[in-house]
Amino acid sequence: MERFEESAFCREIEAFRLPRYAELPDFRLYIDQLIALVEKTLAPLMGADGEKWITATMVGNYARQGVIPRPEGKRYGRDHAAYLIFVCLTKQVIAIGDIQQLIRVQQGTAFKVAVAYDYFCTELESILAHVFNGAPLRPDSSRTHARETRLVRSAGFAVAHKIYLSQYLRYLRAQEEETKA
């Protein structure tokens, strides 16, 4: 029986990488395309439990509530995709109202969405590697906005620990199924 740290459940997370802002589509997406992009991007983090990360209704509600920008016409761009990836990850551990407040904190900085999103991606990947296999955290590259940096890392750790627990529980269920067979 393989250990969790050597299992496909861990290897999948260790290989995970979020697309950077420049890698997100550089053209306007319809809502179904946006949802497919977010679902495909985040699928490895929660496995194949059939749980949806996002629906059209959620996207509409987030836009109406001001969590994400409203679409231009019925089309969504890179900023929408970046915000939705962040929202989908953090809503696993933080209330939507609190996520909205975190986004306002980011918007109050001098950093554009692209920079903030890429920073979050880098931090989350470093934190996932740390939580899943004990890799050292990458040094903090932020020299300003220390409070915002702590907020990003705190959100990243909360998300990573939720993913770790979910993956470990999936591993245990798989082990139980294997034992029964």
Side-chain angles (χ1 to χ4, degrees):
M1 191 175 282
E2 71 182 346
R3 295 180 12 197
F4 175 67
E5 293 78 12
E6 299 160 351
S7 71
F9 298 97
C10 271
R11 286 192 310 273
E12 185 176 37
I13 301 302
E14 289 169 3
F16 179 76
R17 184 178 176 281
L18 285 165
R20 296 310 190 257
Y21 189 85
E23 298 167 340
L24 295 171
D26 188 21
F27 50 88
R28 297 288 176 198
L29 303 170
Y30 288 107
I31 195 164
D32 56 331
Q33 295 170 311
L34 178 67
I35 290 168
L37 170 71
V38 173
E39 287 285 339
K40 182 180 177 187
T41 298
L42 300 180
L45 295 181
M46 289 301 192
D49 294 338
E51 198 172 307
K52 295 289 261 175
W53 283 95
I54 191 82
T55 65
T57 302
M58 290 176 183
V59 174
N61 287 340
Y62 298 156
R64 276 189 292 288
Q65 295 169 2
V67 177
I68 65 169
R70 290 190 177 271
E72 296 173 18
K74 292 187 177 194
R75 301 280 192 112
Y76 299 83
R78 281 182 176 165
D79 283 6
H80 294 99
Y83 278 126
L84 281 174
I85 289 168
F86 175 77
V87 168
C88 287
L89 285 166
T90 56
K91 77 178 181 181
Q92 304 298 308
V93 294
I94 303 170
I96 291 297
D98 292 338
I99 294 169
Q100 187 174 18
Q101 194 167 10
L102 285 174
I103 290 171
R104 281 195 303 267
V105 168
Q106 178 274 316
Q107 291 169 337
T109 69
F111 300 108
K112 294 190 179 297
V113 174
V115 173
Y117 171 76
D118 285 351
Y119 181 72
F120 173 75
C121 291
T122 302
E123 286 295 311
L124 181 62
E125 290 165 1
S126 175
I127 291 166
L128 283 168
H130 177 74
V131 168
F132 274 80
N133 65 24
L137 284 174
R138 71 175 199 81
D140 180 15
S141 62
S142 171
R143 290 179 177 76
T144 60
H145 304 287
R147 178 175 297 120
E148 290 80 1
T149 300
R150 286 193 304 273
L151 291 173
V152 169
R153 283 207 167 177
S154 294
F157 268 106
V159 169
H161 285 291
K162 165 73 165 76
I163 293 167
Y164 182 88
L165 287 170
S166 295
Q167 291 292 81
Y168 191 79
L169 294 172
R170 286 182 61 228
Y171 164 79
L172 289 178
R173 286 191 295 275
Q175 293 297 321
E176 288 171 4
E177 291 297 319
E178 191 177 292
T179 304
K180 289 179 187 177

